[in-house]
Amino acid sequence: MQFRKLSDLDLAGKRVFIRADLNVPLDDSGNIGDDTRIHSALPALQIALAQGAAVMVTSHLGRPTEGEPNPQDSLAPIATQLSRLLGRPVPLVPNWIGGDFELEPGQIVLLENCRLNKGEKKDSPELAARLAKLCDIYVNDSFATAHRAECTTHALPLAAPIACAGPLLAAELEALSRALETPERPLLAIVGGSKVSTKLAILDSLADKADQLILGGGIANTFLLAAGYPIGRSLVETDLVPDARRILDKMVARGAAVPLPVDVVVAREFSPHAEISIKSVAEVGDEDMILDIGPETAGKLTAQLQTARSIVWNGPLGVFEFDAFAEGTRMLGKAISESSAMSLAGGGDTIAAIAKFGIAEQIGYISTAGSAFLEFLEGKTLPAIEALQQRAH
């Protein structure tokens, strides 16, 4: 994957426009609940400032109505926090499209919520042409919005004099490319979660790439049913059984494997205090609900993970929020954390499980990009990345 990087450019005296992801949660009083994204944006800003660039940074915040500014849509709290973290003033510029603001080399301004600009959501070329006049170099450092074709993520990098990726975006793309486009093999993919329907495209894509495809949660139930096993009252999508069979057949035709569970943890009720039983997949009763993989399955999968050279993980293996059904996800998470393979994990539930089991430091790369990460797994072309690739030379 070819694209320019901010770290490779001479920024001295240049006007640098950075599209960051500063979409942080705010309470009713405008206080920031979690400033992780602001901290993640700092390296790009610091690189540009250290080289003596005149730095403009902007982001979306929430879902404002274009052309109708409201206090709750303002980046004012982010400007205050950026000033504190950078140890220098970061003025907020409210009406910035025309460039009517002062900015000298070595200074930084925060440009108000880009989604307030008319034409932002529609990826307006006319708006992009105006914004391109503000800068010498455009930087995208927001992988979380890379799946959206909006002006500051797509049309602007096509119109700017130079377009490149910031350090956060570059690291994300390099990790994703290494895991999915040029992986060391065997490549082992883990896909869990409640529904096949929400991850069918991911399953199809990984079925073309992975040497082994491990399934968990309600997704595994649909595949167990497709393989002829009883699933009782477990969460399942019977209408997607043909798709599950097709994916199984695709893997077999490639000489790859889908190691379905051989034993499962079941209960008669969905509750953290339910009485549990461990049964072979052939013995699941009519009233049983499958809520986790069993210990024999977890042991076999752990052993298989030890042979992997690349691991992609998206989704838990069971209802990990309940301790009674968390062991399968915990064991696989521990095995991934102890593996010498390149590991990539992403998705909200996956990140929550990683946090619960305290293994974040041992995972090779954790993507926090949400929808953009999932669409990359699906094999989709992300508009913002396509724009940077077009401007690679």
Side-chain angles (χ1 to χ4, degrees):
M1 186 179 294
Q2 297 294 316
F3 53 88
R4 286 183 174 180
K5 298 180 185 179
L6 178 66
S7 57
D8 295 334
L9 301 178
D10 178 8
L11 310 178
K14 302 293 178 60
R15 293 174 65 86
V16 176
F17 184 109
I18 300 177
R19 174 52 162 102
D21 177 18
L22 304 173
N23 184 33
V24 296
L26 301 175
D27 65 18
D28 293 339
S29 300
N31 298 311
I32 297 171
D34 179 358
D35 68 351
T36 300
R37 288 176 175 170
I38 299 177
H39 280 273
S40 297
L42 293 180
L45 308 182
Q46 291 165 333
I47 289 170
L49 289 169
Q51 290 195 34
V55 182
M56 298 160 272
V57 57
T58 192
S59 171
H60 73 288
L61 179 68
R63 300 178 183 275
T65 301
E66 290 184 358
E68 299 181 15
N70 287 302
Q72 66 267 27
D73 300 322
S74 176
L75 298 183
I78 288 90
T80 301
Q81 183 68 338
L82 275 175
S83 297
R84 187 183 72 80
L85 294 173
L86 290 171
R88 65 171 71 206
V90 182
L92 179 66
V93 181
N95 300 305
W96 51 272
I97 294 177
D100 188 20
F101 55 89
E102 296 294 326
L103 181 62
E104 298 295 328
Q107 294 180 342
I108 179 172
V109 294
L110 178 62
L111 308 177
E112 185 59 281
N113 194 335
C114 59
R115 284 189 181 165
L116 289 170
N117 298 331
K118 290 184 178 180
E120 170 68 15
K121 292 286 287 182
K122 292 185 178 180
D123 197 23
S124 165
E126 293 77 19
L127 176 60
R130 297 184 67 186
L131 301 188
K133 294 177 182 178
L134 299 178
C135 64
D136 301 305
I137 297 171
Y138 164 89
V139 184
N140 190 331
D141 208 29
S142 174
F143 184 73
T145 58
H147 61 304
R148 300 187 183 281
E150 297 179 353
C151 183
T152 57
T153 62
H154 182 256
L156 177 54
L158 293 176
I162 294 173
C164 67
L168 185 66
L169 178 63
E172 186 97 27
L173 292 178
E174 286 166 358
L176 287 165
S177 297
R178 183 180 169 196
L180 295 169
E181 294 181 0
T182 57
E184 287 189 55
R185 295 193 178 273
L187 166 61
L188 193 150
I190 302 166
V191 180
S194 58
K195 294 183 177 182
V196 171
S197 55
T198 61
K199 295 188 178 179
L200 182 58
I202 292 174
L203 292 166
D204 254 324
S205 177
L206 290 176
D208 289 326
K209 300 172 182 176
D211 298 296
Q212 291 195 57
L213 181 58
I214 294 173
L215 305 171
I219 290 173
N221 297 339
T222 300
F223 277 78
L224 284 169
L225 185 62
Y229 291 103
I231 58 165
R233 294 191 299 115
S234 305
L235 179 65
V236 69
E237 292 174 290
T238 54
D239 58 321
L240 291 180
V241 165
D243 289 285
R245 289 196 182 108
R246 176 177 54 78
I247 290 170
L248 288 169
D249 291 343
K250 183 194 292 190
M251 293 289 286
V252 170
R254 289 181 50 237
V258 183
L260 294 173
V262 294
D263 64 336
V264 289
V265 180
V266 302
R268 296 295 179 93
E269 60 176 332
F270 186 81
S271 164
H273 309 296
E275 182 179 343
I276 69 170
S277 301
I278 298 171
K279 296 185 176 182
S280 76
V281 288
E283 295 173 343
V284 173
D286 292 344
E287 298 301 312
D288 289 332
M289 290 185 286
I290 301 172
L291 299 175
D292 194 13
I293 59 173
E296 184 180 351
T297 300
K300 288 185 175 183
L301 296 180
T302 295
Q304 289 169 358
L305 280 164
Q306 293 174 356
T307 69
R309 298 305 307 151
S310 302
I311 300 169
V312 176
W313 180 18
N314 174 240
L317 279 297
V319 187
F320 74 97
E321 299 89 344
F322 298 164
D323 288 345
F325 311 111
E327 188 62 11
T329 303
R330 187 196 69 78
M331 283 186 65
L332 260 72
K334 182 173 183 290
I336 294 169
S337 72
E338 294 174 349
S339 171
S340 60
M342 184 277 173
S343 55
L344 169 68
D349 286 341
T350 313
I351 293 171
I354 287 170
K356 177 172 182 172
F357 303 125
I359 55 174
E361 295 299 319
Q362 289 77 47
I363 303 296
Y365 193 88
I366 300 172
S367 173
T368 58
S371 297
F373 172 78
L374 297 179
E375 290 195 15
F376 197 101
L377 286 189
E378 291 174 10
K380 290 184 177 179
T381 299
L382 306 186
I385 308 309
E386 184 179 37
L388 291 181
Q389 288 180 299
Q390 288 182 34
R391 300 301 310 282
H393 303 291

